[in-house]
Amino acid sequence: MKVIDMHCDTLGGLLSRREAGNPASLRRNEFHVDLERMKESHYLVQNFAMFVPLRPEEDPWERMLAMYRIYQEEMERNRDMIAPVLAFSDIAGNEAAGKLSALLTVEEGAVCKGQVEKLRELHQMGVRMITLTWNFVNEIGHPNFNEGLKEKMKAAMETWKSLEEGKVQQEQLHMEQQGQPHMAQQGQPHLVQQEQLHMEQQGQPHMAQQGQPHMAQQEQPRQEEWETARLAAQAAYDAYMHTPNLTGGLTEKGKELVAEMENLGIIPDVSHLSDAGFYNVLAVTKKPFVASHSDARAVCPNVRNMTDDMIAKLSERGGVMGLNFCADFLEEKPLGEENPGTIAAVVRHAKHIVNVGGIDVLGLGSDYDGIPTHRELPGAQSMGRLWDAFHDAGFSEGELDKIFYGNVLRVYKDTLM
């Protein structure tokens, strides 16, 4: 078994820990990915993304450079175990030397600031793949989330969560009166905490950060009022998560930058990009491109996933999409219910993608260290377990070799200079 994973956010975790004064090491850590577990799981290549969340107070280029410095330091500190990939031949060379390979990527095309010169500088630094957008509009193009629907979702969520906090407090008071421990005291995930994590991942402030009044100071809501608010929040959430952007694609500058990426040997990555943007990339490029960490929308309707037509078109171009282990992209649960993630859901997506686009279109893109921990695939140590599950589901060893590394390796051969 060999593994190529097209996307992880471990560099961002290392930077955050350093900024907090509690630095961690790429060699061994408590994140989803470290070198020791990668070695044990027979990794061939790990793509390390420099993810830059767009914040008004930060320069995205400078934020990226901070992660790049950490990447350089970790490559030097661990040169006995891992080495960078600048050309396709480096992968075989590193393997022959008994080393893992690191392929550096960027997640958020805004770091280029719309400048071809920045793109060329990224190439000189060793970047070989760029996720064109994250969840915000940038100089290159549009994400697949609708900003107007996001505002409506936020408002509905805040109303429901305000009532939810009061309902939880009421239940806690009742249970304490009965002499029973409340679920929050038993280590169960709190509904409000779950939603706070999700909204923070979407770049949205949680209601508790906006000074919303606590329900202990208000009249306790009636059950029917809470249920009405929950249904409204669910409807708003579904509208936001299920409505793709069919009109806002690549900008004219974005088309120029994507064409230059192909000339330089930087692979365009359409994960997070709008539906319209996907077809723009298809028209602008000639070589294979990727969706580094996206699943199948026909299996789970989240707009972060790929439609069957996209999967087929990506396959026709010779591109690859990487299975994302984020539980919310694998299967949906009603708001407030835990979604820990299952291997069975990953297998369902894999089977559908292969049925639509053929075996050559599928790869791995875990999104490790950028997603909540998947209960059954908690980190790099889990790849053997995933292999076994795929084999038990009917995939042959030859097919598994393609999914776990061969298809992505082919794309790298076709695109990297």
Side-chain angles (χ1 to χ4, degrees):
M1 184 182 80
K2 299 179 185 179
V3 174
I4 297 180
D5 180 5
M6 284 197 288
H7 189 85
C8 78
D9 289 300
T10 311
L11 293 178
L14 293 173
L15 176 59
S16 296
R17 284 283 296 272
R18 178 173 296 188
E19 291 174 332
N22 184 26
S25 167
L26 183 59
R27 195 178 194 94
R28 179 189 294 177
N29 58 54
E30 71 276 20
F31 300 160
H32 296 154
V33 172
D34 64 34
L35 298 184
E36 293 187 355
R37 283 176 287 165
M38 287 168 57
K39 191 80 171 178
E40 291 170 1
S41 293
H42 307 288
Y43 273 62
L44 183 64
V45 182
Q46 176 65 62
N47 287 14
F48 288 98
M50 297 185 290
F51 166 55
V52 179
L54 293 183
R55 299 187 178 111
E57 69 276 12
E58 286 185 346
D59 181 328
W61 179 262
E62 292 302 320
R63 185 68 179 175
M64 180 275 300
L65 287 179
M67 272 178 276
Y68 180 63
R69 287 189 287 270
I70 287 179
Y71 174 76
Q72 289 181 302
E73 291 170 10
E74 292 293 342
M75 290 300 104
E76 176 61 25
R77 185 177 293 121
N78 298 289
R79 63 185 182 276
D80 61 318
M81 290 188 69
I82 192 166
V85 171
L86 301 180
F88 177 71
S89 59
D90 292 335
I91 298 173
N94 293 340
E95 184 180 20
K99 296 182 180 182
L100 304 163
S101 285
L103 191 143
L104 186 62
T105 79
V106 166
E107 185 177 24
E108 178 49 84
V111 303
C112 296
K113 301 182 178 181
Q115 302 171 21
V116 173
E117 294 76 17
K118 291 288 189 190
L119 188 64
R120 293 170 182 161
E121 191 170 347
L122 287 172
H123 184 264
Q124 288 294 317
M125 294 163 58
V127 171
R128 294 297 181 264
M129 183 184 293
I130 296 178
T131 310
L132 302 176
T133 66
W134 191 59
N135 291 343
F136 305 105
V137 177
N138 63 27
E139 296 86 353
I140 293 177
H142 296 253
N144 218 21
F145 286 110
N146 183 295
E147 284 297 311
L149 291 176
K150 176 163 62 172
E151 294 305 313
K152 292 179 181 179
M153 180 189 72
K154 284 173 58 179
M157 286 283 195
E158 289 164 10
T159 298
W160 173 51
K161 283 305 169 186
S162 168
L163 297 174
E164 173 67 17
E165 286 190 346
K167 182 173 182 287
V168 169
Q169 286 185 343
Q170 189 176 32
E171 291 172 353
Q172 182 174 4
L173 177 62
H174 175 75
M175 295 182 76
E176 288 173 352
Q177 289 172 343
Q178 299 296 318
Q180 304 171 20
H182 187 253
M183 59 172 283
Q185 299 168 351
Q186 301 178 44
Q188 297 297 323
H190 195 290
L191 299 180
V192 175
Q193 291 173 336
Q194 291 178 36
E195 188 54 35
Q196 181 173 2
L197 173 62
H198 177 79
M199 295 183 75
E200 287 172 353
Q201 289 169 345
Q202 299 295 327
Q204 304 164 23
H206 185 253
M207 49 165 264
Q209 299 167 347
Q210 301 179 37
Q212 294 293 330
H214 201 283
M215 282 306 300
Q217 302 169 358
Q218 301 178 11
E219 180 181 332
Q220 295 293 348
R222 301 187 306 273
Q223 175 66 27
E224 58 267 25
E225 183 182 8
W226 174 86
E227 180 62 17
T228 298
R230 187 191 68 81
L231 291 174
Q234 184 73 64
Y237 177 86
D238 289 344
Y240 177 63
M241 292 296 176
H242 300 167
T243 305
N245 187 344
L246 302 176
T247 56
L250 295 182
T251 64
E252 289 306 309
K253 176 58 69 172
K255 294 175 183 177
E256 177 187 349
L257 289 172
V258 169
E260 181 62 14
M261 287 171 62
E262 190 168 74
N263 290 335
L264 291 169
I266 298 176
I267 303 168
D269 176 12
V270 298
S271 286
H272 289 280
L273 187 64
S274 67
D275 283 15
F278 171 90
Y279 292 102
N280 291 155
V281 171
L282 192 67
V284 169
T285 58
K286 297 181 176 62
K287 295 180 182 180
F289 58 93
V290 303
S292 69
H293 54 302
S294 295
D295 298 318
R297 203 178 302 172
V299 181
C300 179
N302 193 297
V303 296
R304 271 285 286 106
N305 293 336
M306 304 270 285
T307 68
D308 285 359
D309 186 66
M310 291 177 187
I311 294 170
K313 293 289 195 304
L314 185 67
S315 179
E316 291 168 9
R317 175 58 63 83
V320 175
M321 59 187 293
L323 287 166
N324 189 322
F325 299 165
C326 178
D328 286 342
F329 301 157
L330 293 168
E331 58 182 334
E332 293 186 335
K333 300 287 187 182
L335 287 178
E337 285 192 15
E338 186 183 10
N339 192 5
T342 65
I343 293 179
V346 180
V347 171
R348 282 196 296 274
H349 281 266
K351 285 186 171 181
H352 180 83
I353 291 165
V354 169
N355 286 339
V356 171
I359 192 64
D360 294 330
V361 78
L362 187 58
L364 302 178
S366 67
D367 208 359
Y368 276 149
D369 292 317
I371 59 173
T373 300
H374 188 290
R375 178 178 292 173
E376 296 184 354
L377 298 170
Q381 72 275 16
S382 307
M383 290 304 181
R385 186 178 186 187
L386 183 63
W387 173 286
D388 291 342
F390 274 41
H391 190 267
D392 291 345
F395 288 97
S396 69
E397 289 200 12
E399 290 172 330
L400 289 175
D401 282 338
K402 287 190 171 188
I403 294 169
F404 275 68
Y405 78 98
N407 290 335
V408 179
L409 195 62
R410 168 182 49 79
V411 170
Y412 290 169
K413 183 178 180 181
D414 292 343
T415 55
L416 301 181
M417 302 299 184

